[in-house]
Structures are given as structure tokens and as C-alpha cells.
Amino acid sequence: LVATVQGSLMLERFTAPQVTPLLAEPLTASVGLTVMGDAPAAVTGSAFADWRDAGGTVEIRPLSLALGGFALEGEGTLTLDRLMRPLAAGTAKVRGFVEGIDRLIAVGLVTERDGRLARLLLSAVATTDPQTGQPSLSVPVTVQDGWLLLGPSRLVPVPPLPLPDPA
């Protein structure tokens, strides 16, 4: 079974304890998702584990996010690991990454030390976007072992999905 979903989202005046400081400006996002495999029978940990174990994946094509000067366009594939954390691999073109890292530091999602290292590593591999004149990156994006990585830089922790199990 294959199911395809397309959608877009704009968040303004959004409230969530760790996310709200990131959204000083509106976040816009759009995504196309294709769910591969038989859909989970229920929204439970065991149903999603069965989907994963049967080879279930989500194809993400395309994905775009924009927040202030930060913009990301990409695509990839997602599933779940044994601890029900997202496990993903893809590619992205990123502009405004220094501003994005600074926001993550400001809200405490990334330490100052890790942020400095990420800025250094990502700046070293950035090129100048011929359309905007801004530094941009074409980098692998992965989620593994509970972390989101942009290129070689570990950015933010990614927790397991909060899926209940039937009693």
C-alpha cells in the first residue's frame, strides 16, 4: 500500500516551551510524504513497530522550511529505529545556517561549544549561492541514534515517538 500526502503549514504565535523562542518570526513549511507499506493498524508503539519491521518507510519529497533568514529545501527517507526514534537519511540545500545555529543556541537546544563547532565545520564546506550571493550548503541530513545531524554536525536531540501501547 502506498499513500501520498502533500501539505503546507505556516506557524505564527505558536506556543510550545522549547519551540516558542525559535519562532520569533513565522515558520513556513511544506512537505510531500509518501508512506510505503501497509499503514499501521493503530497509533500504538506495537503497530508502528510492525510497520517498521515489515519495511515501512516514509519518502519525503519535497520538504521546505523557512524561518527568518534560514531556509532548507530537501528530500529523504524516514523510518523508525528499535527505540521508536526517527531514523532518516536525505539531502538538503541550506541557506542562512549561521542564523539557524544561533537560534538553536539562544533557546538552549545547542550548547555554545557545539554551535561554534557546527558554524566552523559548515562554513568550511559552504559555497556561495549564485542566485542570492549568500553562503549555502548542499549537505547530507541524517537522524540516527537520537540526533539530527546536518553534514558532520550534530545539532539537536530527537526523542522517541510518544506512542502508547495498548493495555
Side-chain angles (χ1 to χ4, degrees):
L1 177 67
V2 175
T4 301
V5 177
Q6 295 282 339
S8 63
L9 171 71
M10 181 168 183
L11 293 178
E12 291 186 76
R13 297 179 200 85
F14 178 75
T15 304
Q18 284 192 314
V19 177
T20 300
L22 284 173
L23 301 178
E25 300 172 69
L27 167 71
T28 57
S30 65
V31 65
L33 302 174
T34 303
V35 179
M36 309 297 286
D38 291 335
V43 182
T44 64
S46 57
F48 273 72
D50 291 344
W51 169 78
R52 173 203 62 214
D53 294 345
T57 61
V58 177
E59 300 296 322
I60 303 166
R61 289 186 177 78
L63 167 68
S64 67
L65 300 170
L67 177 64
F70 174 81
L72 179 144
E73 297 171 359
E75 60 182 38
T77 303
L78 173 103
T79 191
L80 298 170
D81 70 11
R82 294 280 170 210
L83 298 176
M84 302 307 285
R85 298 176 301 200
L87 177 64
T91 57
K93 182 174 181 178
V94 182
R95 291 182 309 278
F97 60 88
V98 171
E99 180 181 332
I101 292 168
D102 289 345
R103 283 180 187 252
L104 294 172
I105 292 168
V107 299
L109 290 174
V110 172
T111 66
E112 182 67 42
R113 178 184 158 278
D114 288 347
R116 276 194 314 267
L117 181 58
R119 281 192 299 261
L120 178 68
L121 291 171
L122 295 175
S123 294
V125 297
T127 60
T128 301
D129 185 315
Q131 295 174 347
T132 65
Q134 295 180 345
S136 68
L137 298 164
S138 292
V139 294
V141 176
T142 55
V143 179
Q144 61 186 26
D145 300 324
W147 285 93
L148 169 65
L149 293 95
L150 185 62
S153 300
R154 189 173 80 167
L155 292 181
V156 293
V158 178
L161 296 180
L163 296 169
D165 268 313

